[in-house]
Amino acid sequence: MGPSGELFDITIIGSGPAGLYGAFYAGMRGMKTKILDALPELGGQLVTLYPEKWVFDVGGFPRILAKDLARNLVDQAMTFSPTVYLGENVTLVKMREDDGGRAFEISTDKGATHLTRTIVLTAGIGAFKPKKLDAPGVGDFEGRGVHYFVTEKEKFRGKDILIVGGGDSAVDWSLNLLDVARKITLVHRRDRFRAHEESVKELMNSPVNIMTFHELKSVHGNERMERAVVFDNRSRAETVLDVDDVILNLGFHADLGPIREWGLELDKGGIKVNYRMETNVKGIFAAGDVASHPGKLKLISTGFGEVATAVNFAKNLIDPASKVYPGHSSDMREVPSARKRS
Ligand SMILES: Cc1cc2nc3c(=O)[nH]c(=O)nc-3n(C[C@H](O)[C@H](O)[C@H](O)COP(=O)(O)OP(=O)(O)OC[C@H]3O[C@@H](n4cnc5c(N)ncnc54)[C@H](O)[C@@H]3O)c2cc1C
């Protein structure tokens, strides 16, 4: 597919806390903004790795659950209605010098091409991909019975579901789907769940059929999934379950992979930036966990500051008449709609 879309002022690659806050900031600076993320959901590490953990060190929140912080960041990021593409892993960034100006062409694994004048790379520790299970039938039914993400609860209405895993996602989805599914079985290879204590307590008192010390052996069916075989990893005894869908919540790999090939200077495993959060390629900035500079601290709060710096310098780069320093948001004449509501 050739370059499809419109030219954006700024494209933010990675929708973790740094990327989301950057999208808000870019909107506040009047930039035409796009967000791209490999995951089907906004929020980065907050929603992928520790949604149910408390975060205590973000200014203004004495304590907040990671998933609630992500929800607030998404709300704020949507204030100026950026364009959002999810489930697209950026594989390549190339410079174009044609059509009278500099622009970057961003390619993704979906075959799409995105055009942008500047890029802020907020890719954290890399693109998250779900850990897959290599068991008979699982690959054949992927996308038509085997799922690694739940994007639409309604798809599971009236279904018999098998959930595999012992972390926050497995426990949360077991509880969350109870109101739509006909029956939920949760299998976990150990007897202890690595999830928020309150959620585990709720799970134990719920109608979820919990099978600890069990693992998925295979899935079977014809046009659609019909059965799953699970086994007890102590006795090897097998149980056949009638199921319509299997949700595998086995964790994630993060891979900076292709980003290393874009000609960006690397430093200590991250992308080297200067005080403007600029990389060695003019027009590409980096912020958050992926950015490396002397004294770097990989924290949510430092990512916020870094991305604000990156966006303000990106604004000044494409519009040299604009100041780098944005002034105070409280003095802005155009009050964003989200804040008008509150
Ligand atoms: C268990 C745990 C607890 C933590 N607790 C705290 C805490 O209490 N306080 C604190 O300040 N920090 C904490 N952190 C660290 C904090 O989560 C990170 O510093 C923060 O998430 C970094 O944000 P980010 O926006 O830079 O990147 P991330 O949150 O990593 O987001 C990066 C996003 O970029 C996407 N991406 C990457 N590559 C590509 C690509 N090629 N194409 C498309 N998308 C891509 C990824 O899918 C991801 O969504 C914790 C981390 C962990 C693991």
Side-chain angles (χ1 to χ4, degrees):
M1 202 190 294
S4 45
E6 305 150 70
L7 178 64
F8 280 70
D9 291 330
I10 188 164
T11 297
I12 293 175
I13 302 177
S15 71
L20 288 170
Y21 186 58
F24 163 75
Y25 220 100
M28 196 173 74
R29 297 285 338 239
M31 299 171 91
K32 190 174 161 69
T33 307
K34 184 182 276 185
I35 306 174
L36 296 173
D37 202 294
L39 290 171
E41 183 179 17
L42 296 163
Q45 292 178 47
L46 295 177
V47 296
T48 318
L49 300 185
Y50 59 105
E52 298 285 350
K53 276 194 198 298
W54 290 107
V55 175
F56 298 93
D57 57 350
V58 170
F61 295 101
R63 69 173 198 162
I64 183 165
L65 282 177
K67 65 180 181 186
D68 293 337
L69 178 60
R71 196 180 311 121
N72 288 351
L73 282 162
V74 171
D75 254 16
Q76 190 179 27
M78 294 306 129
T79 307
F80 299 96
S81 309
T83 298
V84 179
Y85 281 81
L86 294 176
E88 294 214 17
N89 189 353
V90 174
T91 49
L92 189 66
V93 171
K94 274 195 309 194
M95 171 78 83
R96 286 167 33 134
E97 294 274 1
D98 53 351
D99 51 32
R102 281 161 59 93
F104 295 99
E105 202 178 287
I106 299 175
S107 309
T108 74
D109 61 350
K110 288 274 169 70
T113 307
H114 304 270
L115 296 179
T116 186
R117 300 174 75 192
T118 61
I119 292 174
V120 177
L121 194 53
T122 45
I125 50 176
F128 286 113
K129 287 189 188 144
K131 286 188 186 158
K132 301 222 166 172
L133 186 71
D134 187 18
V138 167
D140 300 336
F141 282 100
E142 191 171 329
R144 55 184 194 104
V146 170
H147 313 265
Y148 289 94
F149 295 101
V150 177
T151 47
E152 255 180 86
K153 264 177 81 167
E154 275 308 309
K155 277 192 191 159
F156 299 96
R157 183 165 293 279
K159 303 281 185 68
D160 288 347
I161 304 172
L162 173 65
I163 298 181
V164 182
D168 281 313
S169 301
V171 172
D172 278 1
W173 282 119
S174 297
L175 294 171
N176 261 312
L177 291 171
L178 271 174
D179 57 339
V180 291
R182 202 170 76 96
K183 182 177 178 196
I184 297 180
T185 301
L186 173 63
V187 303
H188 179 33
R189 62 190 165 144
R190 303 203 176 89
D191 64 343
R192 293 189 62 139
F193 290 90
R194 283 168 290 103
H196 191 54
E197 240 173 72
E198 286 303 311
S199 311
V200 176
K201 236 187 253 168
E202 202 183 327
L203 176 75
M204 295 304 166
N205 293 316
S206 77
V208 172
N209 173 32
I210 303 166
M211 299 177 78
T212 52
F213 293 114
H214 275 75
E215 298 180 37
L216 180 64
K217 183 174 181 204
S218 54
V219 294
H220 306 266
N222 290 303
E223 289 307 300
R224 54 174 199 82
M225 183 174 305
E226 291 163 15
R227 288 178 314 283
V229 180
V230 298
F231 67 97
D232 185 316
N233 57 22
R234 299 159 301 181
S235 67
R236 314 313 282 183
E238 294 184 2
T239 308
V240 179
L241 301 166
D242 289 335
V243 292
D244 301 299
D245 292 275
V246 173
I247 300 169
L248 297 169
N249 288 139
L250 307 171
F252 292 88
H253 301 287
D255 180 19
L256 214 48
I259 297 174
R260 296 183 201 280
E261 319 296 323
W262 300 347
L264 300 173
E265 203 177 322
L266 302 174
D267 178 33
K268 296 186 186 124
I271 310 289
K272 191 171 177 181
V273 290
N274 62 19
Y275 72 94
R276 301 188 190 104
M277 306 311 293
E278 244 174 348
T279 68
N280 60 312
V281 177
K282 195 167 179 169
I284 303 187
F285 299 77
D289 277 13
V290 80
S292 175
H293 57 78
K296 172 75 189 188
L297 298 177
K298 290 188 182 180
L299 288 172
I300 297 163
S301 55
T302 51
F304 289 160
E306 290 178 359
V307 81
T309 301
V311 168
N312 283 316
F313 278 103
K315 170 72 180 175
N316 177 255
L317 180 71
I318 59 171
D319 176 10
S322 70
K323 289 192 176 133
V324 172
Y325 177 60
H328 298 146
S329 69
S330 50
D331 296 331
M332 276 180 36
R333 262 173 291 154
E334 287 171 40
V335 180
S337 55
R339 270 185 280 149
K340 267 186 199 154
R341 280 202 304 271
S342 59

